[in-house]
Amino acid sequence: MGDRLLRWMPPALVLVLFGWVAARAARPISDPDDWWHLRLGNDLISQHSLAAPAHWSAYATLTWVPTEPLPEIAAAYVDRWWGLPGLAVLYAASALVVVLTVYLTSRRFASALPAAVTTVLVVLTTSASLSARPQLVSFVLLSVVVTAWLRTEQDHRVRWWLAPVVWVWSLCHGFWFIGAGYGVLFVAGFALGRRMPRPVLLRQAALAVASVAVVGLSPVGLGVLEAPFAVNSTAQYLQEWQRTDLTSPSALGAIAMVLVVAGTWLASRRDVTWPRVLVLASAALWTWYAGRTVAVAGVVMAPLCAVALERLVHGREPQRTDQRTDQRTDRPTDRPAAEHATRVEVVGLAVAAALATALVAVLAPTTSDRSGDVPLALDPQLDRLPAGSGVFNDYALGGWIRWRHPDLEQYIDGLITPYSVSHVRGFALATSMAPGWYRVVRDSGAPVALLAQDSALATGLTGRGWVTLGSDAGYVLLARPGNPADGTTG
């Protein structure tokens, strides 16, 4: 009975994760950033270029470059062909690929049960970030890249294919620099460990440098090299870039992974190498740094956690590749390890993921055929506004306005990089009702404001004579006094 339970528990855990992803995907789109991603994807298609659109918002005054054009274009085409239900299916398929990738890469280092438990922990750490956004591509590629460098530690092979992977990654999501950075980190670990022959180490260093340099060849332009760091100037105003709440479920999952690995290292005095120590330290840093980076910590810790759980579950060191040195190449030979996932296992899980995606495709036309958490009832009033009208909007609705009402000028949206620091600071001042808040709203020139109905700013504007035009989904549309839109003349 015990052996049978252990045999069926790993696939059962992974299937439960598949079901959770499918249930999450088969819901109306509610991530506010999804809308501006769709708008940008359509703009890129229309202009036949990966450059930033000529106009984003009258309030967006900075030059910028799109950092996620490929998934945005793909999502825009899916929406054109199949609408919102198609986007739900795309989300389901992408999230399921994340789960499947984490499990299969973990299986390269451990048997099925430790790999499955590790996957559960990774999904927990990514739960706040596992939304229908291009960052799902980063979770997949980061798992592949970290696994590849860990295999390099074992077999000393120079995996030149990592450079073009990072290049493609730079067209999908801004976290490409984290993948390239881990190449540098691993090379530093190899150098500190002094186990890799110098000629091989130099080739590994060349690969790490190439993984960064190749991004400069991006069709988006050289701006892609600095784009991931542009968010630093406005990060203090974005909730997801605030310091991590270490009591949140995702942070607790990452902390658990770090502690399990560190604990097994201390207890067994095995599996400890400089590259792995650096990965562990980086994961601890990502966990602390910001809520947005907790998911990164979980993904990079997955292989090390799988190895640690292998020791805890089976009380032995995971089986490895044959480490005998090849005299012709001066590097370890690389025989397939016995703990790798079997063909039946891979095919079975792939079929299960496909079936979960098909289930979402069946449900989506009735469960995901409408937008979620946006004030649809206010669309007629917004449609009647003259083209070019400014809207002093709630941050969560900027993407929706850009998508549904592209002729209007949203004051701010989740893309954030086209907006100056002073502009974002002014928006924060207005929403917090700090001294001078009304000057910001007045100077915007926006004839209307679309805000959360229970927000302090909405209450403050009402007190200043702004007129309510309508409300829906927890939002209220207010018109500046004396503006024709409010039906008054003074």
Side-chain angles (χ1 to χ4, degrees):
M1 180 66 178
D3 291 342
R4 184 177 301 175
L5 179 63
L6 289 176
R7 186 182 311 115
W8 286 105
M9 184 178 295
L13 288 175
V14 178
L15 291 177
V16 167
L17 294 178
F18 285 177
W20 178 80
V21 168
R24 187 166 179 165
R27 294 187 300 191
I29 292 179
S30 58
D31 189 321
D33 283 355
D34 287 343
W35 304 114
W36 68 257
H37 281 300
L38 283 174
R39 177 74 264 160
L40 181 52
N42 276 279
D43 289 346
L44 296 175
I45 293 171
S46 299
Q47 68 187 22
H48 305 289
S49 167
L50 299 185
H55 178 80
W56 186 254
S57 169
Y59 302 102
T61 57
L62 300 183
T63 57
W64 57 286
V65 297
T67 58
E68 302 153 329
L70 295 188
E72 287 165 343
I73 290 172
Y77 272 122
V78 168
D79 180 59
R80 289 182 178 190
W81 296 332
W82 296 296
L84 297 184
L87 292 174
V89 176
L90 178 63
Y91 169 33
S94 302
L96 288 167
V97 169
V98 173
V99 176
L100 193 58
T101 301
V102 170
Y103 176 76
L104 294 179
T105 53
S106 296
R107 282 288 279 120
R108 294 188 65 84
F109 300 91
S111 54
L113 182 56
V117 174
T118 295
T119 305
V120 171
L121 289 172
V122 172
V123 171
L124 177 62
T125 64
T126 60
S127 57
S129 302
L130 209 63
S131 58
R133 291 159 64 179
Q135 61 199 19
L136 296 181
V137 177
S138 278
F139 298 154
V140 171
L141 295 182
L142 183 58
S143 180
V144 171
V145 167
V146 171
T147 297
W149 280 108
L150 284 169
R151 301 300 292 180
T152 296
E153 181 186 21
Q154 295 179 358
D155 60 27
H156 295 183
R157 291 185 176 181
V158 184
R159 291 171 164 83
W160 294 108
W161 55 266
L162 286 172
V165 164
V166 173
W167 181 83
V168 173
W169 193 346
S170 70
L171 296 173
C172 296
H173 190 249
F175 276 3
W176 67 264
F177 78 97
I178 295 178
Y182 270 101
V184 176
L185 181 143
F186 270 93
V187 170
F190 298 156
L192 290 171
R194 298 182 179 181
R195 296 180 180 179
M196 188 172 287
R198 184 178 178 83
V200 179
L201 180 61
L202 291 176
R203 289 195 291 272
Q204 303 291 358
L207 170 58
V209 172
S211 296
V212 177
V214 73
V215 176
L217 302 175
S218 169
V220 174
L222 292 176
V224 73
L225 291 169
E226 61 182 27
F229 307 100
V231 72
N232 289 336
S233 59
T234 54
Q236 60 182 309
Y237 303 108
L238 305 178
Q239 183 177 359
E240 64 182 1
W241 285 105
Q242 301 299 307
R243 286 285 178 262
T244 307
D245 175 8
L246 296 179
T247 63
S248 65
S250 56
L252 290 175
I255 292 170
M257 296 176 77
V258 170
L259 292 179
V260 165
V261 173
T264 56
W265 284 357
L266 290 173
S268 66
R269 307 288 183 177
R270 305 289 297 274
D271 307 320
V272 185
T273 63
W274 271 110
R276 297 184 180 205
V277 169
L278 293 177
V279 170
L280 180 71
S282 72
L285 176 63
W286 292 130
T287 302
W288 163 83
Y289 183 72
R292 178 76 181 274
T293 58
V294 173
V296 174
V299 173
V300 301
M301 281 299 297
L304 303 187
C305 186
V307 172
L309 291 176
E310 180 77 22
R311 284 194 176 278
L312 293 176
V313 171
H314 297 293
R316 61 175 174 81
E317 181 179 4
Q319 297 177 2
R320 297 175 178 272
T321 54
D322 192 332
Q323 294 283 311
R324 293 179 299 178
T325 300
D326 186 326
Q327 297 300 322
R328 296 173 298 173
T329 61
D330 195 27
R331 68 187 181 198
T333 57
D334 185 20
R335 293 183 181 176
E339 75 273 2
H340 290 186
T342 64
R343 183 174 302 176
V344 171
E345 186 179 359
V346 173
V347 172
L349 290 176
V351 169
L355 291 175
T357 304
L359 177 61
V360 174
V362 171
L363 297 175
T366 56
T367 62
S368 307
D369 59 340
R370 62 192 184 280
S371 308
D373 300 333
V374 292
L376 297 175
L378 299 179
D379 282 341
Q381 291 96 319
L382 293 171
D383 286 336
R384 286 194 292 268
L385 292 174
S389 297
V391 181
F392 200 97
N393 58 281
D394 185 280
Y395 182 83
L397 291 181
W400 166 253
I401 294 172
R402 181 64 189 145
W403 165 247
R404 173 60 180 80
H405 304 280
D407 291 335
L408 302 180
E409 307 291 342
Q410 74 277 7
Y411 191 79
I412 199 167
D413 60 79
L415 181 56
I416 206 68
T417 51
Y419 302 90
S420 68
V421 175
S422 61
H423 181 84
V424 178
R425 185 185 301 117
F427 177 77
L429 185 149
T431 54
S432 63
M433 301 289 288
W437 68 271
Y438 192 67
R439 185 184 306 112
V440 175
V441 180
R442 183 190 63 209
D443 292 349
S444 73
V448 297
L450 183 58
L451 305 166
Q453 195 162 9
D454 59 355
S455 67
L457 182 55
T459 301
L461 291 181
T462 302
R464 291 274 184 161
W466 286 56
V467 179
T468 299
L469 299 181
S471 61
D472 184 47
Y475 293 98
V476 60
L477 181 63
L478 302 172
R480 182 188 296 270
N483 184 71
D486 70 358
T488 70
T489 58

